[in-house]
Structure formats: structure tokens, C-alpha cells
């Protein structure tokens, strides 16, 4: 078995050049993070998009869903911006043949005090042990992808019923 990591952009891959700069989404850091962690399970990284999640369109979400459908892998991790991660989870909901885990970061992976590595590790593990469906791995918790929201007031994800 292997894990497919689809990258779509978001904070996890953001670059800031100085305090006055606009962010840019750079090359994905996911492959480097997994190799640094010495991940032994085979994985494949496929870049789909380089967008802030607030810029994702219905066509982008359809492309993500198509990439999931076309993938031979049963375990899929999708790096994604946190602002609309739950919207993409809803598009992917209902799949019973694959385990799909969306993951992001509240601080870019390139920052020393980022949650990116931890979140990615949780997502990678969740893909291997969770049942088929859509999950979100954020803030040290695994959420049902259809029963979660980002609470901006506490900068964290919380479960909803």
C-alpha cells in the first residue's frame, strides 16, 4: 500500500519574503517534510494547485474530486488551506472506497513554529488507520470531514453536530 498526497496550496506552502510582502504559495514542502521524518511507507506527491483556499472555485474542487477518483491509491492525503477545507470535504463526502484526509497549517511549514509537520504526520497516520470516508486532521484531532468547522475566534477547528 502507498499514500497519495495531493497538494493544493494553502498556508502550509506559503512563502513570506518580508513583513510588508504579500504571501506567495511556493513549491510544496510536503515531500521534504516526509523525507525529513524518514517516512518508510511508500508515498507519491502530486501537485494539483497552488492556491489560497479562499481562491478555490467549484471547478478546482471538481478537479480535486476527479484526482481522488482517478488515483489508484486507497489512502489519500490532501494538503489544503484551512479557510475552505470543510467546503472541499463536503464535495468529497460520500466516497466509500477510499480514506481521504484533508490537512493544512495555521502557520507556513517554512516557519520554525509551524503546526504543519505535526498536522501532516497526523494526516498520514489517519489515512492508514481510519475507515473509508473524508476526515480532517488539524489541531491534534481527527474530525469527521462533514462535522467540523474552523473557529476563527480561537484559530482552531471544532467538531459540530
Amino acid at each position: 500500500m502507498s499514500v497519495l498526497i495531493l497538494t493544493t496550496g494553502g498556508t502550509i506552502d506559503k512563502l513570506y519574503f518580508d513583513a510588508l510582502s504579500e504571501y506567495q504559495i511556493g513549491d510544496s514542502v510536503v515531500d521534504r517534510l516526509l523525507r525529513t521524518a524518514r517516512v518508510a511507507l511508500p508515498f507519491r506527491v502530486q501537485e494539483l494547485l497552488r492556491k489560497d483556499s479562499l481562491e478555490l472555485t467549484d471547478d478546482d474542487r471538481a478537479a480535486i474530486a476527479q484526482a481522488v477518483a482517478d488515483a489508484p491509491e486507497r489512502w489519500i492525503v490532501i494538503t489544503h488551506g484551512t479557510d475552505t477545507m470543510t467546503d472541499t470535504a463536503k464535495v468529497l463526502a460520500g466516497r466509500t472506497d477510499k480514506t481521504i484526509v484533508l490537512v493544512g497549517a495555521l502557520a507556513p511549514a517554512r516557519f520554525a513554529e509551524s503546526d504543519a509537520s505535526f498536522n501532516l504526520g497526523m494526516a498520514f497516520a489517519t489515512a492508514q488507520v481510519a475507515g473509508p470516508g473524508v476526515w480532517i486532521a488539524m489541531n491534534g484531532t481527527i474530525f469527521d470531514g462533514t462535522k467540523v468547522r474552523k473557529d476563527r475566534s480561537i484559530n482552531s477547528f471544532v467538531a459540530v453536530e
Side-chain angles (χ1 to χ4, degrees), residues 134-150:
V134 180
W135 307 92
I136 289 179
M138 288 293 300
N139 308 113
T141 305
I142 305 307
F143 299 97
D144 177 322
T146 64
K147 297 179 181 175
V148 62
R149 70 178 176 83
K150 181 178 177 180

Side-chain angles (χ1 to χ4, degrees), residues 123-136:
F124 200 88
T126 299
Q128 296 173 66
V129 299
V134 180
W135 307 92
I136 289 179

Side-chain angles (χ1 to χ4, degrees), residues 3-139:
V3 177
L4 170 62
I5 298 98
L6 298 173
T7 65
T8 67
T11 297
I12 198 167
D13 285 324
K14 283 184 180 176
L15 297 166
Y16 292 89
F17 297 100
D18 59 48
L20 301 175
S21 293
E22 291 287 320
Y23 76 89
Q24 291 181 8
I25 297 176
D27 292 336
S28 180
V29 298
V30 170
D31 187 70
R32 181 179 55 81
L33 292 175
L34 292 173
R35 294 197 189 286
T36 298
R38 295 178 178 83
V39 170
L41 185 71
F43 63 90
R44 176 170 68 98
V45 178
Q46 177 182 340
E47 181 180 293
L48 285 181
L49 303 165
R50 283 190 188 183
K51 288 187 169 185
D52 184 288
S53 71
L54 292 172
E55 298 172 356
L56 290 179
T57 65
D58 290 343
D59 288 343
D60 293 330
R61 286 188 175 79
I64 294 168
Q66 190 62 54
V68 167
D70 292 346
E73 292 88 352
R74 189 173 61 97
W75 298 332
I76 299 173
V77 171
I78 302 171
T79 63
H80 197 289
T82 59
D83 288 316
T84 66
M85 185 182 287
T86 58
D87 296 336
T88 300
K90 288 175 186 159
V91 168
L92 298 169
R95 290 208 67 104
T96 59
D97 60 332
K98 298 184 181 192
T99 302
I100 305 160
V101 186
L102 286 94
V103 64
L106 297 171
R110 291 171 175 85
F111 285 14
E113 293 187 18
S114 174
D115 56 335
S117 293
F118 182 80
N119 291 342
L120 181 61
M122 282 199 61
F124 200 88
T126 299
Q128 296 173 66
V129 299
V134 180
W135 307 92
I136 289 179
M138 288 293 300
N139 308 113

